[in-house]
Amino acid sequence: MRSRAAFRSRNLFFSLIALIVLVPGMPLSYADRVIDVQTVANVNEQSLIAAISDLQNYPQIFPGNIKYVKVIDNKTNLVDMNAGVNGVYFDTQATYRQTPDGKYVVQVVSGDLKGTTMTTELNKTWGFDGKPSMGTKADISLDLKTSGFLAWMLNFVPDNSLAGALQGGFGKFVDYAQKG
């Protein structure tokens, strides 16, 4: 009897060890979340577009989150970026373009965020001081696709936190545009 119980305990122990070792090495499921944010900025649309388009200054705009951005191909607007949060950084590549209807689209083409798309539509509105066309309304839609370690990490982040991070990032562009 004792040897049978010991055998079961040992098998259970080895099974748990195998799960602990094997499961993190398995590809995680592909997650897809859509986060939409609408906000208004007290900066004119052209200044905001200039800030968003200034890729080389992203490390200054987001000093704790972006180490570098390099334009790889001007024809396809392919960029290489090292970005992260809380000290965890990863390399990724993305393309950016403007659609015929005026929306700005960034699509991640490599890494754990491959397939993620962020679409931003900017429209002129009243400034906070009541002046016409001195403010910008922004509609931002993030179609977040994750896999691997990042999918596991982001699984614990609620949508409202992601929306807050989107608004915070947009706010940094606004601050940069107001200074420039």
Side-chain angles (χ1 to χ4, degrees):
M1 282 287 192
R2 186 143 165 78
S3 64
R4 182 176 262 172
F7 179 73
R8 278 191 218 152
S9 291
R10 193 170 0 127
N11 279 348
L12 180 61
F13 175 74
F14 286 122
S15 296
L16 290 174
I17 293 294
L19 281 174
I20 291 168
V21 171
L22 294 177
V23 169
M26 298 169 94
L28 295 173
S29 62
Y30 191 72
D32 190 1
R33 293 162 77 180
V34 177
I35 310 296
D36 292 314
V37 171
Q38 292 80 35
T39 189
V40 178
N42 193 34
V43 64
N44 72 52
E45 183 180 9
Q46 290 308 315
S47 296
L48 190 53
I49 290 170
I52 293 170
S53 302
D54 193 358
L55 300 173
Q56 298 306 318
N57 279 328
Y58 278 22
Q60 286 76 37
I61 298 170
F62 303 96
N65 302 103
I66 297 179
K67 289 187 177 182
Y68 67 81
V69 176
K70 296 177 187 171
V71 177
I72 296 174
D73 187 345
N74 284 320
K75 286 183 184 177
T76 62
N77 293 326
L78 178 67
V79 297
D80 185 41
M81 180 184 308
N82 183 268
V85 65
N86 293 332
V88 178
Y89 290 89
F90 52 92
D91 290 316
T92 192
Q93 292 182 339
T95 60
Y96 62 95
R97 63 185 166 88
Q98 185 174 6
T99 64
D101 62 353
K103 295 177 183 173
Y104 298 89
V105 179
V106 175
Q107 184 169 15
V108 179
V109 296
S110 71
D112 286 354
L113 290 171
K114 183 177 182 178
T116 294
T117 303
M118 185 169 68
T119 305
T120 304
E121 182 177 0
L122 301 174
N123 292 295
K124 293 177 186 175
T125 191
W126 297 87
F128 292 178
D129 59 0
K131 292 183 183 174
S133 300
M134 293 308 292
T136 304
K137 180 181 176 218
D139 293 311
I140 305 166
S141 180
L142 177 67
D143 184 357
L144 183 64
K145 298 182 185 328
T146 57
S147 63
F149 179 68
L150 202 52
W152 178 81
M153 276 181 33
L154 288 176
N155 191 39
F156 297 104
V157 179
D159 287 355
N160 63 346
S161 292
L162 292 173
L166 264 179
Q167 280 197 294
F170 183 76
K172 289 187 179 222
F173 283 125
V174 170
D175 292 344
Y176 183 76
Q178 288 173 335
K179 291 176 188 171

